Amino acid sequence: MKITHKYLVEGLVFTSYVLFAMAWVGGTASMDQIMASMHIESFASASLLSGAVTLAKIVGTFAAAYLTLKFGVKYAFLVAALLIVTGIVTPYAPNYDVLLVSRFLMGLGGAFMIVYFNPIVMHWFAPEERPVINGLNAVAFNVGTAIVLWGMPAINAITGGWQQSLLVFSLASLVLALLWLMVKFDREQPGAGVPAQESSHYSYLDGLKDGFNWAYALTYSGLLSFYICLFTFYPQAGISQSKWVIGFGILGTVAGILYSRKQPLRLPIIRISGLVIFITVLGLSFGTEPWLQTLCAIVLGFCIFLPVTALVSIPHELPKMTGQKITVIFSLFWSISYLISTIVLWLFGKLVDMNQGSYFASFVLITLLSATVFVGSYFLPETGKPKE
């Protein structure tokens, strides 16, 4: 039996990434129990785990396009799915080294998968359908995160504990990986389903020389840096409203999908959202009233994800786009963004240390960087065509 219906294919892709998020965030949420079971109390060890994750994201997103060139997008996605399944080791890791390797490989699988969304969408869906599917894929991680943040106690009660829950998540990922083998890619060629001679026209070097890729990645990098800092440092600074961002982020993505179906122009929603993001980050970081910070977090969560559908759709709508080219574009997009956010994360913590625990300078830095969406929108092409 072969899976040939495009919505079944999208269901596999979407659910695979939801399960990755559940396993990833579930493992992070259970890290205290995991470390305690190994009698590890070192903060350095915990930091190394985070560092391994970051390295996996940078290396994985950069190497993703190479994998599609070697094996084609179907089997490249299968490799990503199987790497995610290595998270099955996390709850039962016998020692710290095994735990570190399992988290790295799992993060590598997630990094590969996020790049492969785009050639898969391009292969299976018509141009007018792609914005909606791109929006759904963009919200997959948030859906998985929300399920774990609000439903993990109930899931643990059903499975019998956090270890069993993580085991179930990984086994479900394995089932989806096996189902993915049944997906039939017509005209499958190395280079994400496009002819080999066509796919060879856009290499990594071509991508690095292309000014669009730098403008595209830099537009998102400041927002990604803020998003990571929001969940890493803001609670430590006494700002607990970050939890509101996840839930309203899902609503923002849905609104972005609906907007993109009605309005084909991409830049207006990116530009307006970018301006609101900057204002609400300012209020969240420097507001003195809890109600104001909560309001800013709610609006911020909505507006962070509102323009994602439009932003992700831009490369799909560029002239003469191919599956291989779009894989390289998103490979560079994510690797550059994660590399910059890693440096920003280090700078944020360094400024706190230099200022004897004060977060003021760090908040100034991250607030300014959150404006990259607004500023970057003036350097991106308008790929949407007005309706006649």
Side-chain angles (χ1 to χ4, degrees):
M1 190 179 93
K2 292 289 185 180
I3 296 175
T4 57
H5 197 287
K6 59 186 176 182
Y7 292 113
L8 287 177
V9 175
E10 168 57 19
L12 283 177
V13 172
F14 178 83
T15 310
S16 294
Y17 206 65
V18 169
L19 282 168
F20 164 71
M22 291 173 68
W24 187 258
V25 178
T28 302
S30 306
M31 198 53 64
D32 289 342
Q33 296 97 310
I34 294 171
M35 302 292 275
S37 68
M38 296 179 188
H39 308 290
I40 296 173
E41 300 178 356
S42 167
F43 284 106
S45 297
S47 297
L48 187 57
L49 275 175
S50 299
V53 173
T54 304
L55 181 62
K57 289 176 179 176
I58 296 170
V59 173
T61 51
F62 187 77
Y66 175 77
L67 208 59
T68 60
L69 284 173
K70 296 293 290 184
F71 303 109
V73 69
K74 176 179 177 177
Y75 293 104
F77 189 90
L78 178 64
V79 170
L82 292 175
L83 284 171
I84 288 172
V85 176
T86 60
I88 200 169
V89 177
T90 296
Y92 301 104
N95 55 60
Y96 179 79
D97 291 338
V98 173
L99 173 65
L100 187 65
V101 170
S102 73
R103 295 292 281 178
F104 176 82
L105 292 176
M106 188 182 174
L108 195 63
F112 282 152
M113 192 171 283
I114 200 172
V115 173
Y116 299 147
F117 288 164
N118 298 283
I120 290 171
V121 170
M122 193 167 182
H123 184 101
W124 285 91
F125 292 91
E128 63 272 13
E129 298 173 303
R130 290 172 192 166
V132 173
I133 305 302
N134 285 330
L136 286 173
N137 290 337
V139 80
F141 192 88
N142 267 27
V143 170
T145 301
I147 291 171
V148 168
L149 290 181
W150 283 296
M152 196 67 174
I155 295 172
N156 289 343
I158 295 171
T159 62
W162 63 271
Q163 288 177 304
Q164 292 86 342
S165 295
L166 295 181
L167 177 64
V168 168
F169 299 159
S170 293
L171 289 175
S173 293
L174 178 60
V175 170
L176 291 184
L178 295 176
L179 286 174
W180 181 257
L181 279 171
M182 300 168 64
V183 174
K184 183 181 179 181
F185 272 73
D186 294 328
R187 298 172 283 103
E188 172 73 342
Q189 298 283 345
V194 296
Q197 67 270 21
E198 183 183 8
S199 68
S200 63
H201 291 165
Y202 200 82
S203 65
Y204 274 113
L205 187 58
D206 294 324
L208 290 170
K209 291 178 180 177
D210 190 339
F212 166 79
N213 292 330
W214 289 98
Y216 192 48
L218 292 173
T219 296
Y220 186 71
S221 62
L223 181 58
L224 179 64
S225 300
F226 164 75
Y227 195 71
I228 296 173
C229 285
L230 178 68
F231 295 102
T232 305
F233 290 114
Y234 274 63
Q236 296 179 26
I239 300 175
S240 60
Q241 286 84 355
S242 55
K243 62 185 178 183
W244 292 99
V245 172
I246 290 289
F248 281 87
I250 296 173
L251 296 177
T253 306
V254 173
I257 292 172
L258 296 175
Y259 174 88
S260 292
R261 291 185 66 183
K262 299 290 185 181
Q263 174 55 262
L265 295 180
R266 307 305 177 200
L267 295 185
I269 191 66
I270 296 172
R271 197 162 293 158
I272 293 169
S273 298
L275 183 59
V276 176
I277 287 168
F278 175 73
I279 294 170
T280 49
V281 169
L282 197 64
L284 179 65
S285 303
F286 298 101
T288 56
E289 297 292 335
W291 69 264
L292 176 61
Q293 290 179 307
T294 300
L295 178 62
C296 286
I298 289 171
V299 176
L300 178 61
F302 187 86
C303 288
I304 282 176
F305 290 92
L306 179 63
V308 166
T309 300
L311 186 65
V312 175
S313 296
I314 288 176
H316 286 263
E317 297 167 344
L318 290 173
K320 300 180 181 178
M321 186 54 62
T322 67
Q324 191 269 341
K325 182 176 180 179
I326 205 166
T327 307
V328 172
I329 287 174
F330 276 96
S331 178
L332 291 172
F333 171 77
W334 286 111
S335 59
I336 292 169
S337 297
Y338 274 121
L339 181 59
I340 291 172
S341 65
T342 301
I343 296 170
V344 170
L345 201 66
W346 177 82
L347 273 175
F348 191 104
K350 187 69 174 177
L351 285 172
V352 173
D353 291 338
M354 290 172 59
N355 290 279
Q356 292 75 47
S358 170
Y359 283 83
F360 182 83
S362 298
F363 282 159
V364 169
L365 170 69
I366 206 66
T367 301
L368 291 174
L369 286 173
S370 71
T372 59
V373 176
F374 177 72
V375 175
S377 67
Y378 288 93
F379 294 89
L380 296 177
E382 177 57 82
T383 56
K385 294 179 175 58
K387 292 182 179 180
E388 295 181 1

